[in-house]
Amino acid sequence: VQKPQSTRKQSSKSCLCCKFRREQSSPPAHEDPELAAQEQRLDYHDDDQRLRREEFEENLREMGLEMEREEGNKIPGVGFLKIHAPWEVLCREAEFMKLKMPTFKKYEVSHGSSIVEKVNMFMQKVTAPLQPNVGENRMENVKHLSYPFSREKQHLMYVILILSLQILYEEWASYSIFYKYQPIGLIRKYFGEKVGLYFAWLGVYTQMLIPAAIVGVIVFLYGCATVEDNIPSMEVCDERNNITMCPMCDRACSYWKLVTACGTARASHLFDNAATVFFAIFMALWATMFMEHWKRRQMRLNYIWDLTSFEDAEVSHSLFLLCVFVCSTQIFVTLAIVFGVVLYRVSIMTALHMSSTPTFRTNIRATVKTTAAIINLIIIIIMDEVYGAIARWLTIMEVPKTDKSFEERLIFKTFILKFANAFTPIVYLAFFRGRIIGRPGKYIYVMGSYRMEECAHAGCLMELCIQLCITMLGKQLIQNNLFEIGIWYTLLRGLSKVAVIVNAFVIAFTSDLIPRLVYQYMYSPDGTLHGFVNHTLSYFNVSHFQPGTEPMEPMHLGYKVEVCRYKDYRDPPWSATPYEFSREFWAILAARLAFVIVFQNVVMLMSDFVDWLIPDIPKDISIQIHKERNLIVELFMKQERGKKYRNTIGDPSPQPLRSRPSSQA
């Protein structure tokens, strides 16, 4: 802050007068006019710097800070200025920041004797080897009351303990102790509450992933154990069926045997089996349990750390239209990228079909799936950085009033853009691939190919799993977690609700679970899945190929093909309505929609019941908060009675309570 112009002129005049006296006292000498002018400019520059420094120091003094000069150092021409913050200044700033400080008043923390508390005590003893050696994991029996700091009540403050970076390095930032819990209390004391809450959330999330991973492995092992008993995959692999499939593309592709998809059918059963529905229900309930567990954990940390909530600033909508336009543009860019990957997949598959190398032609699906997923991952990682920069730029343009408002807006924009970036390819695989392919003889062309984007015979669920594994694992290994536990709770809660609906549609439309059940209970002659593969394949007369689309090698299988099969529910060419959707198609579609409705409502009802059953605030914490409030009221009532008593005996200046000894702090 610059001083008024008059003060600056007086200071400049005094400096010039001193300089004039020095020149009068020194003997005149013959000097070069240019050197003299340059020296004069340097003198004015030094004087200006000195004046600015003096003004800055004077402003510091006005704020109440104290300064101590040290000019006797080994570096010539350089001096150091020590700045001290007196106790009064620290108290003033602490009061402005509304810091909550522990009081001398303390009380016993009762842990209760219920079954839950006994289980918690038992679990603490069992997990003792997993706890970090920082001396902070023991149950606290004594807790101090806390209150916003006030200069009128300086006796409420005591000294905070000293933090040790070495302990964090030994008990936290080391790969050798990855199996231990995090020293959240020490992290909070060294890095602050914000970072402490972030790592606490990360620890809860990682801990909750353990049961989800265990159940997922069990479901996968169930698929491995029952793959030999899976009737549809056995029918696909049975060479006696001798099912001839229609070409996968125009001209370059030829007829092929269904038995060549045996490996894909068996692998699909590992991910698409009867336990898949159970796993989807479990993950929906898992999401609710995770949210409830984190709410309780956060409430406990807020109570232990004496955290206070910050006031929200009003959201400005002056740039709302700009944000919507930019976000919509970026989402369209993401859709264009997905379409580009589809074109890549079709082009590579066509090229491999035309290849004369047998190895390439036998591993077409595996090659295209893996390379397309890796390309998707690379594009997602690159666009994540671009979208992150765009979200930050848009948030800066809005000029939020508070840091919390800035973070919430930044997180919301980043979430929308990165969510669309990461999940658009997955949504395409789950709900759109293979849905708009058409049928042989009446194609929907994509670069000369019509069935390249068709799912494997067992469905697209296996390809969806491959895409999810490569994308999520790659992002986890390459990218770090970016943001922390505020607006994220709302986003995650909404995402858990959306996940229930998405899982319902994935099971109904991507998996073959519903078609299998419909066939087993409506069309199977013996109530089993025998004949299911033949039921899912429609007939096509090869004479109905449009000119220029028939295979170049019609004798590729060694015999002339008159009728080929393709996966779809359509009437045969000899019916009254050839190639139209059959009655089976509409029956399965109705069953799929019914499953979506039932699954969504049942799972959401179960999730809401779990949410209602588990209280947001642990019972012991709610009891301690109530007890603490009563003790605070009691404490200040005693202070008020003490003031009245001193006033009645004529002592107008109450003495502050004696400070706590440093050895007890």
Side-chain angles (χ1 to χ4, degrees), residues 342 345-346 428 433-434 437 450-455 460:
V342 172
R345 191 158 45 218
V346 170
Y428 167 76
R433 186 177 181 186
I437 298 302
Y450 54 88
R451 307 202 70 84
M452 288 298 186
E453 284 299 286
E454 186 183 40
C455 296
C460 285

Side-chain angles (χ1 to χ4, degrees), residues 270-558:
L270 304 180
F271 305 98
D272 185 8
N273 50 65
T276 305
V277 179
F278 166 76
F279 185 68
I281 297 175
F282 171 80
M283 288 307 297
L285 298 178
W286 175 90
T288 304
M289 292 290 294
F290 165 70
M291 300 300 295
E292 293 299 317
H293 182 37
W294 168 241
K295 281 195 298 186
R296 292 168 62 87
R297 174 65 170 162
Q298 186 182 27
M299 187 61 200
R300 189 177 296 275
L301 291 177
N302 289 342
Y303 171 71
I304 296 175
W305 294 351
D306 292 320
L307 298 182
T308 56
S309 58
F310 297 94
E311 295 182 357
D312 295 333
E314 294 183 0
V315 180
S316 174
H317 299 278
S318 57
L319 298 178
F320 178 74
L321 295 179
L322 175 62
C323 296
V324 172
F325 172 75
V326 175
C327 293
S328 302
T329 303
Q330 299 305 317
I331 292 176
F332 280 119
V333 170
T334 302
L335 294 176
I337 292 173
V338 172
F339 182 71
V341 175
V342 172
L343 296 183
Y344 160 81
R345 191 158 45 218
V346 170
S347 303
I348 296 299
M349 188 170 289
T350 304
L352 292 177
H353 272 290
M354 297 176 64
S355 175
S356 59
T357 306
T359 305
F360 289 162
R361 302 189 68 172
T362 55
N363 298 311
I364 291 177
R365 284 191 176 273
T367 303
V368 174
K369 291 174 188 175
T370 306
T371 55
I374 294 176
I375 291 175
N376 261 326
L377 172 63
I378 296 174
I379 294 176
I380 286 172
I381 292 175
I382 295 175
M383 296 306 296
D384 265 359
E385 302 299 324
V386 176
Y387 291 157
I390 292 175
R392 181 169 291 275
W393 173 73
L394 289 174
T395 308
I396 293 175
M397 291 287 291
E398 293 180 1
V399 194
K401 297 180 181 179
T402 62
D403 289 342
K404 183 180 180 182
S405 177
F406 178 88
E407 289 182 359
E408 289 184 349
R409 300 186 195 187
L410 175 61
I411 290 173
F412 181 77
K413 295 180 184 64
T414 306
F415 177 83
I416 295 297
L417 292 176
K418 292 191 175 184
F419 181 86
N421 182 41
F423 287 95
T424 301
I426 297 172
V427 170
Y428 167 76
L429 280 176
F431 302 117
F432 295 99
R433 186 177 181 186
R435 310 294 177 187
I436 55 175
I437 298 302
R439 58 177 178 80
K442 189 178 181 182
Y443 319 127
I444 296 178
Y445 287 94
V446 180
M447 292 187 64
S449 303
Y450 54 88
R451 307 202 70 84
M452 288 298 186
E453 284 299 286
E454 186 183 40
C455 296
H457 179 76
C460 285
L461 196 60
M462 188 184 69
E463 299 182 35
L464 180 63
C465 293
I466 293 175
Q467 180 71 52
L468 277 171
C469 290
I470 294 179
T471 301
M472 299 306 170
L473 184 62
K475 283 175 64 66
Q476 186 70 19
L477 294 177
I478 297 175
Q479 291 181 313
N480 296 324
N481 298 282
L482 299 179
F483 299 105
E484 57 274 352
I485 348 254
I487 195 175
W488 270 120
Y489 179 80
T490 304
L491 293 176
L492 290 175
R493 186 173 181 84
L495 195 61
S496 65
K497 300 295 184 182
V498 175
V500 175
I501 303 175
V502 172
N503 284 340
F505 275 95
V506 167
I507 295 174
F509 289 90
T510 307
S511 169
D512 271 350
L513 175 67
I514 303 302
R516 290 197 296 262
L517 293 176
V518 172
Y519 173 80
Q520 184 174 359
Y521 293 103
M522 291 184 62
Y523 300 103
S524 176
D526 55 358
T528 64
L529 289 177
H530 289 287
F532 171 73
V533 173
N534 185 68
H535 182 261
T536 61
L537 298 177
S538 299
Y539 292 88
F540 177 73
N541 192 334
V542 298
S543 62
H544 295 165
F545 272 121
Q546 292 183 356
T549 61
E550 64 276 3
M552 292 186 297
E553 300 180 5
M555 300 296 294
H556 173 70
L557 297 179

Side-chain angles (χ1 to χ4, degrees), residues 15 34 46 97 136 149 159 181 185 213 244 273 277 296 306 313 332-333 394 458 492 524 578 616 618 643:
C15 294
E34 294 183 358
D46 293 340
M97 297 173 65
E136 297 185 3
F149 180 81
V159 181
Y181 290 96
T244 302
N273 50 65
V277 179
R296 292 168 62 87
D306 292 320
F332 280 119
V333 170
L394 289 174
L492 290 175
S524 176
D616 296 342
K643 288 182 181 179

Side-chain angles (χ1 to χ4, degrees), residues 32-87:
D32 189 354
E34 294 183 358
L35 294 177
Q38 184 178 2
E39 183 179 356
Q40 186 176 9
R41 286 196 297 270
L42 291 176
D43 291 341
Y44 278 118
H45 180 67
D46 293 340
D47 292 339
D48 185 65
Q49 283 189 335
R50 184 175 59 80
L51 287 174
R52 290 178 179 271
R53 183 169 62 251
E54 290 178 354
E55 291 178 3
F56 181 71
E57 294 175 359
E58 183 63 26
N59 291 332
L60 294 181
R61 292 190 187 93
E62 292 178 359
M63 293 297 295
L65 300 177
E66 299 175 354
M67 284 170 286
E68 177 185 354
R69 295 184 181 274
E70 281 191 2
E71 298 181 354
N73 53 77
K74 299 181 180 179
I75 305 177
V78 178
F80 292 92
L81 186 68
K82 294 182 178 180
I83 302 178
H84 303 275
W87 177 254

